[in-house]
Amino acid sequence: MVTITVDGKTIETEDGALLIEVLLANGINIPHFCYHPALGKDGNCRMCMVEIEGSKRPQIACDTPAKEGMVIRTKGESIERVKRSILELELINHPIDCPICDQAGECSLQNYYMDVGLYDSRLDTPKVHGKKHEDLGANVVLDQERCVLCTRCVRFTSNITKTHELGVLQRNDHSVISTFPGTKLSNPYAMNVIDLCPVGALTSKDFRFHKRVWFLEPAEAICDGCARGCSLYVDHHRDKYKDDIIYRYRPRFNDDVNGYFICDYGRLNYKKENENRLLNAYIRGMESEFEYAKLKLERIIKRYGAKTLIVLSSNLSLEEYYRFKKLSTKLNLELNAYDNNIDEKFGDDFLKKNDKTANRKAVELLEIPHTLSELEASLKDKEFVMLVGRSDFNIINNLNYKGSIGVLCSHDFQQKDKLDIVFPIVSHTGRAGSFINCDGFVQFSQCEIKKDILSAKILDLLASILNDGIVTCEDVWEKGLGDEPFLKSIHFDLLQTKSQKIEML
């Protein structure tokens, strides 16, 4: 360890640590474009200049190691003048189109410009122009004029995906980012370049011109696209007189699970949360009053009792599984969580997994039957089957089941008229819960977006049937879930901020 001084503040850090990382870790704002924690240093933007006592000229913090006794200044007339000059170079050919730029509101260049306050242009020659709204493929749109040539996107396709679609073409002030001739940006993680871009050069074709970012409210959630369970932000907004709409998913940094990135499939998975929602309850194919259908559902489950089989989705939360086990014990009914949602062509060696369910590991750890043979055996003497979080009742029919079927799901589907009862439940982003990913990391999704759809939370339904008032995830953990052997090392209060790994795995 070494001790350095930054703007009069003493900081202890590792010997040789990159200065920019030390500054950022200690809450010292240092402008930068090319540096990114996942991509490392590049040293081309020169924005992170600092004064180091004893050096003849300012140094870039992204390529300067910390040494014992360093005295560093990030503020002051001299270094501010250097930063202002570098920023002026970045702005020479930059278009003045902030009012129509999707990045406005979360643009690093915009923020640094406001900090420096260089409002008068000294340019008396025409700007160098580049291509506007160029479709690179994979839902990414390029505006070459806005680019600051930080090369984050180039290094992402070179070092992370290793697909090498992007490069810096041409020379001098005509240098531009583009795809190589005859190629398209087409890898399954391509949309991450949008998050990496510090300006508005790379934007999402899907999100483009849909909503100003300062209207969006971020909620922390877990992706339910596959067993990786990437951490993400759900950006949503409720316009006046309208329902709450989700506009995009963004990666949320989690060093244990997904780092800084998510796949494009998971990123675009937000659409299902807005589309084709189940709006009504149905009893024998006829629309029903919500409260009447809820009471009917409770009566059916209690009436059939041991003749009931509940078939659970592998996308339910840990808390919901635990509560269904309580229901199973109290009413002597059976559970099964068979789910064949495996796609051998989907997974890769980065983030994507062939298992396209979000919580299969929890099913296994809670010892809920989940094989096809167990499902087939359970059906033999059952008179009522209730599917929860899924509507694929054909799998039950294919096993020659002839009894009554009910479905609790969030999205509409065909052949509702063939079922005894269909009841709407809140979708994935509408209910909080814990998920265990393929590597045994437990994460908590806090997202509870309230939509103007009459639907019920599963925990509320189970509390009503069990008549015990346990309706929150915290209640479930306190009333027994936290005592499960595999969760002994997991603390629910810490799950709110950080994922935790199950030690017994």
Side-chain angles (χ1 to χ4, degrees):
M1 304 296 288
V2 296
T3 301
I4 64 175
T5 303
V6 182
D7 297 329
K9 177 184 177 182
T10 300
I11 295 174
E12 190 176 14
T13 185
E14 291 184 15
D15 187 13
L18 281 183
L19 196 53
I20 191 170
E21 295 178 348
V22 176
L23 297 176
L24 295 174
N26 284 274
I28 299 170
N29 183 33
I30 185 77
H32 61 281
F33 288 132
C34 63
Y35 171 79
H36 188 277
L39 304 172
K41 60 187 179 182
D42 197 54
N44 68 53
C45 76
R46 322 305 286 181
M47 282 296 298
C48 61
M49 288 281 196
V50 295
E51 279 187 300
I52 301 177
E53 200 169 278
S55 295
K56 293 182 179 179
R57 59 184 66 86
Q59 303 293 317
I60 53 174
C62 70
D63 199 25
T64 301
K67 296 179 182 178
E68 177 64 40
M70 263 186 173
V71 178
I72 300 152
R73 285 185 291 274
T74 67
K75 301 174 183 177
E77 184 179 343
S78 177
I79 194 62
E80 294 290 347
R81 184 170 63 251
V82 172
K83 291 180 182 178
R84 189 177 295 113
S85 299
I86 295 169
L87 189 60
E88 187 175 20
L89 289 173
E90 296 283 9
L91 290 166
I92 281 177
N93 292 311
H94 199 86
I96 311 301
D97 57 1
C98 295
I100 61 166
C101 179
D102 260 356
Q103 193 77 1
E106 51 187 11
C107 172
S108 296
L109 181 63
Q110 199 175 54
N111 295 338
Y112 299 154
Y113 174 77
M114 296 305 294
D115 289 340
V116 169
L118 184 65
Y119 300 113
D120 297 323
S121 173
R122 296 188 290 172
L123 184 67
D124 57 6
T125 58
K127 289 178 179 283
V128 176
H129 295 290
K131 293 181 179 178
K132 308 287 284 185
H133 51 264
E134 182 181 11
D135 187 352
L136 297 183
N139 269 306
V140 179
V141 178
L142 170 66
D143 188 317
Q144 290 178 340
E145 291 182 354
R146 297 175 185 165
C147 181
V148 293
L149 291 174
C150 69
T151 71
R152 285 186 184 183
C153 56
V154 176
R155 285 177 285 147
F156 176 76
T157 58
S158 174
N159 303 338
I160 305 297
T161 65
K162 303 186 187 305
T163 49
H164 302 278
E165 298 101 331
L166 297 175
V168 182
L169 308 185
Q170 303 184 49
R171 295 182 178 182
N172 301 327
D173 62 349
H174 285 78
S175 296
V176 292
I177 297 292
S178 186
T179 52
F180 288 103
T183 66
K184 283 285 187 182
L185 186 59
S186 59
N187 72 75
Y189 298 90
M191 293 181 74
N192 285 287
V193 300
I194 297 163
D195 307 310
L196 290 171
C197 183
V199 292
L202 294 168
T203 53
S204 166
K205 191 193 307 182
D206 176 72
F207 179 70
R208 192 174 169 89
F209 304 138
H210 277 68
K211 179 65 65 173
R212 282 301 194 184
V213 298
W214 49 80
F215 291 124
L216 298 177
E217 298 177 42
E220 295 184 0
I222 308 301
C223 179
D224 64 342
C226 80
R228 175 69 64 183
C230 293
S231 298
L232 49 81
Y233 289 109
V234 179
D235 289 337
H236 63 104
H237 178 67
R238 179 186 290 270
D239 282 322
K240 195 174 184 179
Y241 307 124
K242 294 184 179 180
D243 201 358
D244 207 323
I245 300 295
I246 297 172
Y247 286 90
R248 62 180 183 181
Y249 283 170
R250 288 182 295 123
R252 177 165 54 91
F253 174 69
N254 186 333
D255 203 26
D256 294 329
V257 179
N258 57 295
Y260 289 89
F261 309 119
I262 55 175
C263 72
D264 290 0
Y265 172 83
R267 184 186 295 268
L268 297 174
N269 213 23
Y270 78 90
K271 295 182 179 181
K272 68 177 177 59
E273 295 293 305
N274 295 327
E275 300 168 353
N276 196 38
R277 296 295 296 271
L278 183 62
L279 303 178
N280 297 290
Y282 294 85
I283 297 177
R284 296 187 182 88
M286 303 294 291
E287 283 190 22
S288 170
E289 291 284 342
F290 181 83
E291 289 299 329
Y292 176 78
K294 179 182 175 183
L295 294 172
K296 177 79 171 178
L297 176 67
E298 293 177 10
R299 287 198 299 270
I300 290 174
I301 293 173
K302 291 177 179 178
R303 183 173 78 243
Y304 282 106
K307 294 293 184 179
T308 299
L309 171 65
I310 298 180
V311 183
L312 305 170
S313 163
S314 292
N315 283 340
L316 301 185
S317 71
L318 181 58
E319 292 82 1
E320 290 164 346
Y321 287 136
Y322 184 78
R323 293 289 284 159
F324 271 113
K325 286 194 69 175
K326 288 293 183 184
L327 180 68
S328 171
T329 301
K330 182 172 183 178
L331 300 183
N332 196 30
L333 48 82
E334 284 193 59
L335 302 178
N336 191 283
Y338 171 69
D339 199 326
N340 63 345
N341 196 4
I342 304 291
D343 185 349
E344 297 295 339
K345 296 180 180 179
F346 180 76
D348 57 29
D349 57 359
F350 187 23
L351 296 179
K352 297 165 66 177
K353 306 298 290 185
N354 290 334
D355 182 0
K356 298 180 75 173
T357 65
N359 216 9
R360 192 186 300 273
K361 185 69 73 175
V363 170
E364 297 169 357
L365 290 171
L366 285 170
E367 299 179 344
I368 298 174
H370 56 276
T371 65
L372 182 59
S373 59
E374 289 171 318
L375 175 62
E376 191 170 10
S378 296
L379 283 172
K380 290 181 180 178
D381 62 341
K382 297 299 181 291
E383 297 178 9
F384 178 64
V385 172
M386 183 174 74
L387 285 76
V388 181
R390 57 199 297 176
S391 56
D392 52 338
F393 64 93
N394 283 331
I395 193 170
I396 305 298
N397 291 335
N398 292 340
L399 295 175
N400 298 316
Y401 175 74
K402 303 300 181 183
S404 300
I405 299 176
V407 167
L408 273 66
C409 65
S410 56
H411 288 74
D412 206 353
F413 61 98
Q414 300 294 322
Q415 299 180 308
K416 295 189 293 293
D417 56 322
K418 296 184 178 181
L419 303 179
D420 284 71
I421 186 166
V422 176
F423 191 76
I425 59 173
V426 173
S427 70
H428 175 68
T429 56
R431 58 186 202 267
S434 305
F435 295 82
I436 306 175
N437 85 337
C438 55
D439 297 319
F441 283 101
V442 185
Q443 304 177 81
F444 186 70
S445 175
Q446 303 187 42
C447 187
E448 293 187 273
I449 297 173
K450 294 178 173 60
K451 283 186 167 287
D452 296 336
I453 297 171
L454 273 177
S455 54
K457 292 183 179 180
I458 293 175
L459 291 183
D460 289 343
L461 279 175
L462 293 174
S464 180
I465 298 172
L466 292 167
N467 193 29
D468 58 10
I470 299 175
V471 295
T472 69
C473 294
E474 186 175 7
D475 291 340
V476 177
W477 280 77
E478 289 179 354
K479 299 297 183 180
L481 177 57
D483 296 327
E484 288 288 317
F486 66 93
L487 292 175
K488 284 291 187 180
S489 63
I490 307 298
H491 303 281
F492 180 73
D493 55 338
L494 296 179
L495 278 181
Q496 317 297 310
T497 56
K498 184 170 174 39
S499 56
Q500 300 173 62
K501 188 165 186 178
I502 298 174
E503 291 181 355
M504 63 180 288
L505 295 181

